[in-house]
Amino acid sequence: MEKAGKHIGGIPEPTLRRLPKYIDLLKELQKTKIKYVSSNFIADKLNLDSIQVRKDLAVTGIIGKPKLGFDLDELIRSLNHTLNWDNLNDAFLVGVGSLGSAIIGYSAFSSYGLNIVAAFDNDPQKVKKTINGIEILPVTKLAEMIRRMKINIGILTVPAESAQAIAEEMVEAGIKAIWNFAPIHLSVNKDVIIENLLLTQSLGLLTHKLSAKLKKDSMLMFTNH
Amino acid sequence: MEKAGKHIGGIPEPTLRRLPKYIDLLKELQKTKIKYVSSNFIADKLNLDSIQVRKDLAVTGIIGKPKLGFDLDELIRSLNHTLNWDNLNDAFLVGVGSLGSAIIGYSAFSSYGLNIVAAFDNDPQKVKKTINGIEILPVTKLAEMIRRMKINIGILTVPAESAQAIAEEMVEAGIKAIWNFAPIHLSVNKDVIIENLLLTQSLGLLTHKLSAKLKKDSMLMFTNH
DNA sequence: TAGATTGTTAATCGATTAACAATC
DNA sequence: TAGATTGTTAATCGATTAACAATC
């Protein structure tokens, strides 16, 4: 019963967001002969602070070796484990438009813990087709199949108008986490995990920063002489 | 020369990330008869704190009306202006794979300040085709056309291996901001704006939270009786 | 006027950064 | 051993939240 007692909060979200970057970098390194990697090296490559990198890696439970750094293979394993990427999480995708197709077509997700089992659409033209080995089924079968196959993850790539309804159907059928690409706020029972991926959120940052920079640059042109 | 003096920092990034959500919600509201919206209403719909919403909206410079709230149309305009979405920013996309095609195919970007002028690929099969009215050109023409058309934004949807090289070519030719979808850290001159959109970053959050939840739930099953 | 809502100033909280001891 | 690197404890910084006065 060691270390029982109160469960102290989870991993900070900013930290979680950096973990995939570490993994991508470290996998690159794996192609070389390097066996150990220091927090300083990682920080340098990713433009981060080495203290922050050490703090981040610490959440995975890995213990580094003073003077050497972290064992590369072990580090990748711990990071993957923290994200649960050492398991394959079964998922259904709904909405086989261009974005949905792109996601189904991206085979690399299996390295990131995601196994898309089937896709659903309401367009009869698309049904029965197969993309990347993944069958497209009529959306009328969605709920029944979620129940039957005990699927936990739903990927929502439908238009905004249908997103809430499909989300509700998913949750009703037992989906525990939704990866939502529709630009709309889903209201569901609060113990369902919703992860929104809004392309426009990222785009907004870009366009805002760009316009701020262009404005600043043109001001400098006038004041600097 | 009013209000000259030191330029105080920009808008906090967490705030910027919430602005598109406000816009999406408010555009929905625009379809109704509603003319004014309160911070409380918004907070309630998006599961946020109303104080936070007011603070966020304040960065756009809008001034609300006590007792009424914010003028809906005006609010949308200020939000769009803050993100520079009231301008169309020209962009080139490189890498017409499934994700690149999906992005080109998504016409709605024009409501979010993005105008994809042309796409580039090194596959002769894809070149000369047109998606959503956007022509696909050989990547050999990229640099020259960036210069000629004075394009500021580059969208990178190439495989990780080619991303750094294309990024360098873009920057060399005068690109000022890169929207990067390749799972790799780009090293470029630090005054180039890089906005990374890593699908796996978002996915990692989802899989981590899900596994934490499933673990917690199964623990409860044992301790609760 | 009374009451709802904004907007500002202050308090809290959590993440980042710094300082430094521990270790191989 | 000396030196590089980890890991912990403390300080700083910035975003969120709270308190409250201003306004229509």
Side-chain angles (χ1 to χ4, degrees):
Chain A
M1 259 222 244
E2 67 291 312
K3 261 285 176 128
K6 65 175 176 226
H7 175 257
I8 304 168
I11 299 172
E13 196 165 306
T15 293
L16 284 172
R17 287 195 180 278
R18 284 187 293 269
L19 301 191
K21 300 194 184 185
Y22 298 140
I23 293 177
D24 287 334
L25 172 66
L26 297 171
K27 278 186 183 165
E28 283 302 311
L29 282 182
Q30 238 177 358
K31 296 176 186 162
T32 69
K33 291 256 170 69
I34 294 173
K35 289 295 167 208
Y36 282 88
V37 62
S38 74
S39 58
N40 233 297
F41 180 92
I42 296 174
D44 191 53
K45 289 284 180 193
L46 300 180
N47 269 104
L48 297 171
D49 189 296
S50 72
I51 303 169
Q52 185 173 59
V53 173
R54 280 204 295 288
K55 271 257 164 72
D56 285 349
L57 303 187
V59 307
T60 70
I62 197 172
I63 293 175
K65 291 195 180 30
K67 190 158 180 178
L68 278 173
F70 299 84
D71 181 285
L72 183 54
D73 295 342
E74 189 191 349
L75 183 50
I76 293 176
R77 273 198 306 276
S78 336
L79 287 165
N80 275 321
H81 182 69
T82 301
L83 296 173
N84 198 28
W85 284 358
D86 50 359
N87 271 302
L88 272 187
N89 300 277
D90 286 346
F92 279 171
L93 177 144
V94 182
V96 190
S98 53
L99 185 59
S101 306
I103 291 171
I104 302 176
Y106 189 51
S107 315
F109 277 135
S110 61
S111 320
Y112 300 98
L114 188 69
N115 180 35
I116 303 177
V117 176
F120 297 83
D121 202 285
N122 61 6
D123 179 352
Q125 299 274 307
K126 287 173 185 161
V127 167
K128 282 292 184 77
K129 283 187 184 161
T130 280
I131 295 179
N132 198 22
I134 297 165
E135 207 179 356
I136 302 170
L137 304 168
V139 76
T140 47
K141 295 206 172 161
L142 178 64
E144 176 212 332
M145 287 194 64
I146 290 172
R147 283 199 191 86
R148 176 142 52 90
M149 298 183 70
K150 296 196 196 319
I151 301 289
N152 283 331
I153 299 179
I155 305 173
L156 253 187
T157 47
V158 298
E161 309 85 72
S162 351
Q164 177 65 37
I166 303 280
E168 284 169 16
E169 192 179 337
M170 284 178 165
V171 171
E172 171 67 25
I175 284 284
K176 298 208 164 49
I178 295 178
W179 197 14
N180 175 44
F181 288 76
I184 195 170
H185 180 84
L186 301 176
S187 323
V188 295
N189 185 318
K190 77 172 176 20
D191 58 32
V192 175
I193 294 156
I194 302 281
E195 172 62 25
N196 296 298
L197 196 151
L198 294 177
L199 292 177
T200 54
Q201 194 169 47
S202 169
L203 178 61
L205 242 67
L206 183 112
T207 53
H208 169 81
K209 286 181 188 167
L210 178 60
S211 90
K213 182 174 161 38
L214 293 176
K215 200 171 295 174
K216 209 186 77 186
D217 288 355
S218 70
M219 273 165 58
L220 283 176
M221 266 176 47
F222 282 110
T223 54
N224 270 9
H225 29 186
Chain B
M1 259 224 245
E2 68 292 314
K3 260 283 177 133
K6 67 176 175 224
H7 175 258
I8 304 168
I11 300 172
E13 196 166 308
T15 293
L16 284 172
R17 288 194 179 278
R18 283 187 294 268
L19 302 191
K21 300 194 185 187
Y22 298 140
I23 294 177
D24 287 334
L25 172 66
L26 297 171
K27 279 186 183 164
E28 282 302 311
L29 281 182
Q30 238 178 358
K31 295 176 187 163
T32 70
K33 290 257 169 69
I34 294 173
K35 288 295 168 209
Y36 282 88
V37 62
S38 74
S39 57
N40 234 298
F41 180 92
I42 297 174
D44 191 53
K45 289 285 181 192
L46 300 180
N47 268 108
L48 296 171
D49 188 298
S50 73
I51 303 170
Q52 184 173 59
V53 172
R54 281 205 296 286
K55 270 257 164 75
D56 284 349
L57 303 186
V59 305
T60 71
I62 197 171
I63 293 174
K65 294 197 176 32
K67 189 156 183 185
L68 278 173
F70 299 85
D71 181 283
L72 183 54
D73 295 343
E74 189 190 351
L75 183 49
I76 293 177
R77 273 199 305 277
S78 333
L79 287 165
N80 275 321
H81 182 68
T82 302
L83 295 174
N84 196 29
W85 284 358
D86 49 0
N87 272 302
L88 271 187
N89 300 278
D90 287 345
F92 279 171
L93 176 144
V94 182
V96 189
S98 52
L99 185 59
S101 306
I103 290 172
I104 302 176
Y106 187 52
S107 315
F109 278 134
S110 62
S111 321
Y112 300 99
L114 188 69
N115 179 35
I116 303 177
V117 175
F120 297 83
D121 203 287
N122 61 6
D123 180 351
Q125 299 274 307
K126 288 174 183 161
V127 168
K128 283 291 182 79
K129 283 187 185 160
T130 280
I131 296 180
N132 198 23
I134 297 166
E135 207 178 355
I136 302 169
L137 304 168
V139 76
T140 47
K141 295 206 171 160
L142 177 64
E144 177 212 331
M145 288 194 63
I146 290 172
R147 283 199 190 87
R148 176 142 53 90
M149 300 184 68
K150 296 196 196 319
I151 300 289
N152 283 331
I153 299 179
I155 305 174
L156 253 187
T157 45
V158 299
E161 310 84 73
S162 353
Q164 177 65 35
I166 302 280
E168 285 169 17
E169 192 179 336
M170 284 177 165
V171 170
E172 171 67 26
I175 284 285
K176 298 209 165 45
I178 295 177
W179 198 13
N180 175 43
F181 289 75
I184 194 170
H185 180 84
L186 301 176
S187 323
V188 295
N189 186 317
K190 78 171 175 18
D191 58 33
V192 175
I193 295 155
I194 302 280
E195 172 62 24
N196 296 298
L197 196 152
L198 294 178
L199 292 177
T200 54
Q201 194 170 46
S202 169
L203 177 61
L205 242 67
L206 182 112
T207 53
H208 169 82
K209 286 181 188 167
L210 177 59
S211 90
K213 182 173 161 39
L214 292 176
K215 200 172 294 173
K216 208 186 77 187
D217 288 354
S218 70
M219 272 165 59
L220 284 176
M221 266 176 49
F222 283 110
T223 54
N224 270 11
H225 28 183

